Amino acid sequence: FLDAVRAAPDDVALRLAVAEFYNRIGKRHVAEPHLRHVLQPQSAATAAQSALARRALALDLGTFGNHRQYVEAIQLLDKNLAQEPNSLLDLRAKALVLAERGNRNSLRQALHIYRQLDERKRLTLQDRLVMAQLHITLDEWSRARTILRELFDNPTSPPSILAFGLKAMLDKGES
């Protein structure tokens, strides 16, 4: 990959592919410079490629970074949402970044986004699981229980989601 980047340093598609590869194998520090290169003003990136780079960088910074990086992550996602307010990918990414922050205000903001997605009937099973986790963290067990029961009733829920739900119910003394 790196030889290809040296040969074609301004190839946006290549930079995005390299960043995706390094993100997948957990080397976010190697992916970041490629994403930032795509976001440079002189880059030939299309609007869609720039949005993808901002989203990927935001997820990296927001879920693994410090407070300054978290702020940058939210700004990157807000820029995407300013250009495409109904972007499900950016709304989900923002909810995940907010959920990772861990403070009550951020957790409530994440829940608000998930509720908006739910109103549009756009929640995935993973989104529902994160919602349940947020409710548990916020000591809103009755809401979490309702979501978990919905997940139990869904025949497409994977075993990992069912296992989490079962453990949460048992931890609360329920069956």
Side-chain angles (χ1 to χ4, degrees), residues 19 22-23 25-36 57 60-61 64 69:
Y22 283 112
N23 274 334
I25 64 169
K27 293 189 174 186
R28 289 165 188 84
H29 64 283
V30 180
E32 183 178 342
H34 297 286
L35 295 168
R36 290 193 184 282
L57 183 57
D60 287 350
L61 296 174
F64 299 102
Q69 292 168 317

Side-chain angles (χ1 to χ4, degrees), residues 11-73:
D11 184 329
V12 173
L14 175 63
R15 290 281 189 154
L16 289 171
V18 170
E20 181 182 1
F21 170 77
Y22 283 112
N23 274 334
R24 284 182 187 251
I25 64 169
K27 293 189 174 186
R28 289 165 188 84
H29 64 283
V30 180
E32 183 178 342
H34 297 286
L35 295 168
R36 290 193 184 282
H37 185 85
V38 170
L39 296 173
Q40 293 299 314
Q42 68 273 18
S43 169
T46 65
Q49 289 171 321
S50 293
L52 174 62
R54 279 191 295 273
R55 185 179 317 111
L57 183 57
L59 285 168
D60 287 350
L61 296 174
T63 55
F64 299 102
N66 58 32
H67 180 72
R68 181 187 55 75
Q69 292 168 317
Y70 161 77
V71 170
E72 181 182 358

